Amino acid sequence: MLHFVDSVQEAVVGIKDGSTVMIGGFGNAGQPFELIDALLECGAKDLTVVNNNAGQGDQGLALLIKEGRVRKMICSFPRQSDSWHFDAKYKAGEIELELVPQGNLAERIRAAGAGIGGFFTPTGYGTMLAEGKETRIIDGRGQVFETPIHADVALIKALKADGKGNLVYRKTARNFGPIMAAAAKHTIAQVTEIVPVGGLDPENVVTPGIYVNTIVTVAGSGQSSSTAGKVA
Amino acid sequence: MLHFVDSVQEAVVGIKDGSTVMIGGFGNAGQPFELIDALLECGAKDLTVVNNNAGQGDQGLALLIKEGRVRKMICSFPRQSDSWHFDAKYKAGEIELELVPQGNLAERIRAAGAGIGGFFTPTGYGTMLAEGKETRIIDGRGQVFETPIHADVALIKALKADGKGNLVYRKTARNFGPIMAAAAKHTIAQVTEIVPVGGLDPENVVTPGIYVNTIVTVAGSGQSSSTAGKVA
Amino acid sequence: MARDIAPGSFVNLGIGQPTLVSNYLTEEQNITLHTENGMLGMGPEAKGGEIDEDLINAGKIPVTELPGASYFHHADSFAIMRGGHLDICVLGAFQVSATGDLANWHTGAPGAIPAVGGAMDLATGAKDVFVMMTLLTREGASKIVESCTYPITGVGCVTRVYTDKGVFLTGPDGVTVRETFGCTLEELQELIPVPLKAAAAVGLQDQGAP
Amino acid sequence: MARDIAPGSFVNLGIGQPTLVSNYLTEEQNITLHTENGMLGMGPEAKGGEIDEDLINAGKIPVTELPGASYFHHADSFAIMRGGHLDICVLGAFQVSATGDLANWHTGAPGAIPAVGGAMDLATGAKDVFVMMTLLTREGASKIVESCTYPITGVGCVTRVYTDKGVFLTGPDGVTVRETFGCTLEELQELIPVPLKAAAAVGLQDQGAP
């Protein structure tokens, strides 16, 4: 069932300790900052977080890590010039890291949403990141067996939702939103604007409403509201 | 490289005997009838054809089968009230059939385009269609190993192309077009209209031009030109 | 059956008989229909000037689009089914076994040309698989069986069977009778070659998802 | 290197140095740039009022959109890379082996936090992998090696190496020198610990795709 809620606090209220939480975004584009802040506020801990990175600077996911709420990160690129909170926890042995090539991360998330039990890919074959994994040669190429990444909750950001929960995104802020929405049991989307049913062209819907459970409007929440009109 | 050609005959000229040819469409929606007619005309034979069905009535794929050009069909639903040409060839032992559950067909085509070496799926587990296939239990569910379906050529129909080969489709005529375009070495698209570069909204492109090699305009070729204006 | 579908559900109605269920859905139920050829928000069959050859259902019948619809390609459409996102699919059947095996795609007769379409994906992927069928064949044999004699579509996938004589729940624990139409449990037991249990009087509506 | 990219190619330029290649591409070449965070038709870096936080490249730098661009989600974007649809990707490297193994993601130093991003997908997926690097480390060691001592990114994936001292083809047959910059083949051979072959004078442009 789809719910429209009035605040980000209300949106995250069901997230439990020990949950696996997917968080959309690549860099700042598509990061649901307000939902992450609400998650921090609600106090859920022992989280496994799936994101491309492991937090930047002193905001969002970085704070969640700093506060010790994240037991494990599944990501492709934790190390950045401003990933100091992750770096500190990692060096102190206080956070677990599952490092996944970015395309395997995307494909494993997609597999979870699509009901695929696992797949073989050439990416990572012969490297450290395939150590301990099943491999086989298919059509002459070495391939690694990768498994789906399911989640309890996804926090994503989109540009607009309609009354059926259909979503459209904006430019490269689309990134992980559509596949995380499909991979999580419960998807929470923050959007800049909610339009009536019929307000999105059915040809242009990116995430069908079947993948969305909770929607909250965050006024001017990135997906640059100033230029959003160009996209509609 | 992308080529715009003037006729469907010119579009199919490189298709060789023995090729694997994917043909888009589900029912009449999205069937590239004019390209199929041109394929019939060009005389290529010993074809393996991938389509959801095995031809209907006395047109398109059904004629290709009738004329003995198709050595093997890979499809999910060959038997229809008007699939008499396939039925006759099949009963005479003159055509090979690989029957694939429709979702496995779609996912195997998608896997080819996405560089996946194979995947496990619960669909078909424990049935006749999994006989002889590798299986394993994953998370308590029986699953079957399925392999990608690659093709030499895809013949698809879209609504519009821009000068970069980006495509948009119309309603349920989208069906197999996007995944076949990605799975084939050479994709030939018939479109109702070609618009200049910049004439499609980048947010709404369904098939990026990287997947398209040859484009031909077929005036009023389905994708109901009468109502097409509504979609733009 | 239509009234057993929870408000807000996403539902796929199989080709043929199951399609008729849509006539009994009310607007208040706010059900969204999926068609596996690439659409959510499918409306009723198209009539006259509404007919558009690019807008058809899985049975290749022209349909209409409701506000809030969306279109997607075949792999995305089957990902919805296979990923467990549909609440219910409704299918016809030749046979259903006591533990919910479904046979509905192939008679297995020699010379028959097999065709499967999306039946196996629906059977395996939907959260609940409802079957709609007459209880008996034309020859009077029960279609609820100990184990299917026709080639199966999916293992242990059916959760409810709606027939002309009663409604049955199937699953790991065998067959439970939820409702009878003009006959007693004992009369049903004479027709059906597997042990039937009577549903408890309360909580019946909650037993759909085993 | 820019002039070695065939007209109409689809290209991904890795983070850092390789990004600079875009400054040397001409309009006539009609090259389409891919960025793995979800776009084809990427334009130059955004300046001033063009900057849009929703439009960035894989290095998280604001970029622009060219006419004919398209956006897609991460799985679709990596399907383009992994499915073998990119003609060329250009990457930096710590080391390249004689047979084209690439090491560019991890120093393997104790305590270093590993980060891989899309490097393995690009290395494995593109039709041609071009490496751009100085031939020697700061300590004067050759980065073209018999076999990589750093953890590898991909096996046998590099087809060409562009350095300050020469251009090399790598593959199953070892290293071929295609071009030298201000030095002789013999001088290069003194720097590089694997046997070098001289390219035949003709047909060099065709040797990129083994």
Side-chain angles (χ1 to χ4, degrees):
Chain A
M1 278 295 279
L2 178 65
H3 295 282
F4 292 87
V5 298
D6 292 326
S7 70
V8 288
Q9 288 75 19
E10 212 180 320
V12 303
V13 82
I15 302 181
K16 294 189 181 64
D17 291 355
S19 296
T20 296
V21 181
M22 290 181 172
I23 301 179
F26 179 89
N28 288 344
Q31 286 265 6
F33 284 114
E34 288 78 1
L35 283 172
I36 303 171
D37 289 346
L39 176 59
L40 184 66
E41 218 178 294
C42 88
K45 58 182 194 300
D46 280 329
L47 302 174
T48 295
V49 172
V50 183
N51 182 263
N52 190 62
N53 304 105
Q56 296 141 262
D58 286 299
Q59 58 176 352
L61 177 53
L63 287 185
L64 212 57
I65 290 169
K66 179 188 177 200
E67 297 300 327
R69 307 290 176 72
V70 182
R71 191 180 60 73
K72 179 180 178 181
M73 276 302 314
I74 302 177
C75 68
S76 87
F77 211 85
R79 187 196 62 229
Q80 302 193 88
S81 58
D82 56 354
S83 60
W84 43 73
H85 293 306
F86 175 82
D87 298 2
K89 290 281 178 195
Y90 182 77
K91 287 180 174 164
E94 290 169 11
I95 196 166
E96 192 184 335
L97 171 65
E98 180 178 346
L99 187 71
V100 183
Q102 198 169 337
N104 285 358
L105 186 67
E107 189 69 21
R108 290 175 63 189
I109 295 169
R110 191 255 170 204
I116 300 298
F119 59 88
F120 284 94
T121 171
T123 294
Y125 181 80
T127 76
M128 265 175 59
L129 298 187
E131 279 170 18
K133 297 193 173 187
E134 176 183 351
T135 60
R136 67 173 72 168
I137 308 292
I138 299 175
D139 290 335
R141 295 195 81 178
Q143 310 218 10
V144 186
F145 187 63
E146 295 287 350
T147 55
I149 303 175
H150 294 271
D152 298 298
V153 180
L155 306 181
I156 65 170
K157 183 162 80 168
L159 177 65
K160 295 185 189 184
D162 71 8
K164 286 276 190 183
N166 295 309
L167 304 180
V168 295
Y169 301 81
R170 190 166 175 276
K171 301 189 184 280
T172 59
R174 186 182 303 194
N175 57 66
F176 284 96
I179 53 174
M180 288 182 170
K185 287 195 205 92
H186 189 93
T187 294
I188 304 170
Q190 66 172 70
V191 301
T192 305
E193 188 189 351
I194 295 171
V195 300
V197 172
L200 296 178
D201 186 333
E203 299 285 359
N204 303 338
V205 168
V206 175
T207 294
I210 192 169
Y211 292 127
V212 183
N213 304 95
T214 302
I215 294 176
V216 59
T217 308
V218 175
S221 75
Q223 298 246 353
S224 303
S225 46
S226 56
T227 52
K230 285 197 280 185
V231 180
Chain B
M1 278 295 279
L2 178 65
H3 295 283
F4 292 86
V5 298
D6 292 327
S7 69
V8 288
Q9 287 76 18
E10 212 180 321
V12 302
V13 81
I15 303 181
K16 295 189 181 63
D17 291 357
S19 296
T20 296
V21 181
M22 290 181 171
I23 300 180
F26 179 89
N28 288 343
Q31 285 265 5
F33 284 115
E34 287 78 1
L35 284 173
I36 304 172
D37 289 346
L39 176 58
L40 184 68
E41 217 179 294
C42 87
K45 58 182 193 299
D46 279 329
L47 303 174
T48 295
V49 171
V50 183
N51 182 263
N52 190 62
N53 302 104
Q56 296 140 262
D58 285 299
Q59 58 177 349
L61 176 53
L63 287 185
L64 213 57
I65 292 169
K66 180 189 176 198
E67 297 299 328
R69 306 290 175 73
V70 182
R71 189 180 61 72
K72 178 179 178 181
M73 276 302 314
I74 302 177
C75 68
S76 87
F77 211 86
R79 185 197 64 228
Q80 302 193 92
S81 58
D82 56 354
S83 60
W84 43 71
H85 293 307
F86 174 82
D87 299 0
K89 290 282 178 195
Y90 183 76
K91 286 180 175 166
E94 289 169 10
I95 194 165
E96 193 183 333
L97 170 65
E98 180 177 345
L99 187 73
V100 183
Q102 198 169 336
N104 285 357
L105 185 67
E107 191 68 21
R108 291 174 64 188
I109 295 169
R110 191 250 170 209
I116 301 299
F119 59 88
F120 284 93
T121 171
T123 295
Y125 181 79
T127 76
M128 265 175 59
L129 298 186
E131 280 170 19
K133 296 191 173 187
E134 177 182 351
T135 59
R136 68 172 71 168
I137 308 292
I138 300 175
D139 290 334
R141 296 195 80 179
Q143 310 218 10
V144 186
F145 188 64
E146 295 287 349
T147 55
I149 303 176
H150 294 272
D152 298 299
V153 179
L155 306 182
I156 65 171
K157 182 162 83 168
L159 178 64
K160 295 184 189 184
D162 72 7
K164 286 277 191 183
N166 294 310
L167 303 180
V168 293
Y169 301 80
R170 190 165 175 279
K171 300 188 185 281
T172 58
R174 187 183 302 193
N175 58 66
F176 284 96
I179 52 174
M180 288 182 170
K185 288 195 201 93
H186 189 93
T187 293
I188 304 169
Q190 67 173 68
V191 301
T192 304
E193 188 188 351
I194 295 171
V195 300
V197 172
L200 297 178
D201 186 333
E203 299 285 358
N204 303 339
V205 168
V206 175
T207 294
I210 194 170
Y211 292 127
V212 183
N213 303 96
T214 303
I215 293 176
V216 59
T217 308
V218 175
S221 75
Q223 299 247 352
S224 304
S225 46
S226 56
T227 52
K230 284 197 281 187
V231 181
Chain C
M1 175 188 303
R3 61 168 206 267
D4 286 349
I5 298 178
S9 294
F10 291 87
V11 176
N12 184 300
L13 300 174
I15 298 175
Q17 279 274 329
T19 306
L20 302 177
V21 173
S22 66
N23 297 337
Y24 299 93
L25 296 173
T26 65
E27 205 166 313
E28 293 67 45
Q29 283 182 286
N30 189 27
I31 303 302
T32 303
L33 294 180
H34 172 260
T35 182
E36 56 260 46
N37 51 318
M39 181 185 197
L40 274 163
M42 180 174 67
E45 193 175 331
K47 306 280 181 205
E50 292 173 341
I51 292 173
D52 177 338
E53 65 176 9
D54 288 340
L55 181 47
I56 59 176
N57 69 11
K60 292 164 189 162
I61 292 165
V63 291
T64 52
E65 168 190 305
L66 295 180
S70 55
Y71 296 103
F72 25 78
H73 63 58
H74 242 73
D76 281 349
S77 184
F78 279 80
I80 289 175
M81 298 152 69
R82 295 152 64 99
H85 305 286
L86 291 178
D87 296 299
I88 295 168
C89 79
V90 183
L91 296 170
F94 299 146
Q95 290 176 329
V96 176
S97 84
T99 55
D101 294 354
L102 171 68
N104 80 342
W105 73 283
H106 188 26
T107 61
I113 298 175
V116 65
M120 289 185 181
D121 304 290
L122 282 169
T124 311
K127 288 177 199 157
D128 268 300
V129 176
F130 290 1
V131 159
M132 249 181 106
M133 64 183 190
T134 57
L135 180 61
L136 305 178
T137 65
R138 258 174 277 180
E139 294 74 30
S142 171
K143 294 185 188 172
I144 295 180
V145 293
E146 183 63 38
S147 108
C148 297
T149 55
Y150 289 112
I152 68 167
T153 310
V155 178
C157 55
V158 177
T159 53
R160 290 195 205 180
V161 183
Y162 291 80
T163 73
D164 50 330
K165 300 200 187 295
V167 178
F168 305 86
L169 310 178
T170 52
D173 300 330
V175 183
T176 303
V177 181
R178 201 188 76 150
E179 204 174 342
T180 58
F181 302 132
C183 57
T184 65
L185 183 64
E186 291 67 32
E187 286 165 348
L188 281 178
Q189 185 65 80
E190 277 174 39
L191 298 170
I192 299 174
V194 298
L196 302 178
K197 285 178 290 195
V202 291
L204 286 176
Q205 300 293 343
D206 299 330
Q207 299 192 7
Chain D
M1 174 190 302
R3 61 170 207 268
D4 286 349
I5 298 178
S9 293
F10 291 87
V11 176
N12 185 299
L13 300 174
I15 299 176
Q17 278 274 330
T19 307
L20 302 176
V21 173
S22 66
N23 298 336
Y24 300 93
L25 296 172
T26 65
E27 204 165 316
E28 293 68 45
Q29 282 180 287
N30 189 27
I31 303 303
T32 303
L33 294 181
H34 173 260
T35 182
E36 56 262 44
N37 51 319
M39 180 186 196
L40 274 163
M42 180 174 67
E45 194 175 329
K47 306 280 181 204
E50 292 172 339
I51 291 174
D52 178 337
E53 65 177 8
D54 288 340
L55 180 47
I56 59 176
N57 68 12
K60 292 163 190 161
I61 293 165
V63 291
T64 52
E65 167 191 305
L66 296 180
S70 55
Y71 296 103
F72 25 78
H73 63 58
H74 242 73
D76 281 350
S77 185
F78 278 81
I80 289 175
M81 297 152 71
R82 295 152 65 97
H85 305 286
L86 291 177
D87 295 300
I88 295 166
C89 79
V90 183
L91 296 170
F94 300 146
Q95 290 177 328
V96 176
S97 83
T99 54
D101 293 354
L102 171 67
N104 80 342
W105 73 282
H106 188 28
T107 61
I113 298 176
V116 63
M120 290 186 180
D121 304 289
L122 282 169
T124 311
K127 288 177 200 158
D128 268 300
V129 176
F130 290 2
V131 159
M132 247 180 108
M133 64 183 191
T134 57
L135 179 61
L136 305 178
T137 65
R138 258 173 276 181
E139 293 73 31
S142 171
K143 295 185 188 173
I144 295 180
V145 294
E146 183 64 39
S147 108
C148 296
T149 55
Y150 289 111
I152 67 168
T153 309
V155 179
C157 54
V158 177
T159 53
R160 289 195 206 178
V161 183
Y162 290 81
T163 75
D164 49 328
K165 298 199 187 297
V167 178
F168 306 85
L169 311 179
T170 52
D173 300 331
V175 184
T176 303
V177 181
R178 200 189 80 150
E179 204 174 341
T180 60
F181 302 131
C183 58
T184 65
L185 183 64
E186 290 67 31
E187 286 165 348
L188 280 179
Q189 185 65 79
E190 277 173 41
L191 298 170
I192 299 173
V194 298
L196 301 178
K197 285 178 291 194
V202 289
L204 286 178
Q205 299 294 342
D206 298 331
Q207 299 192 6

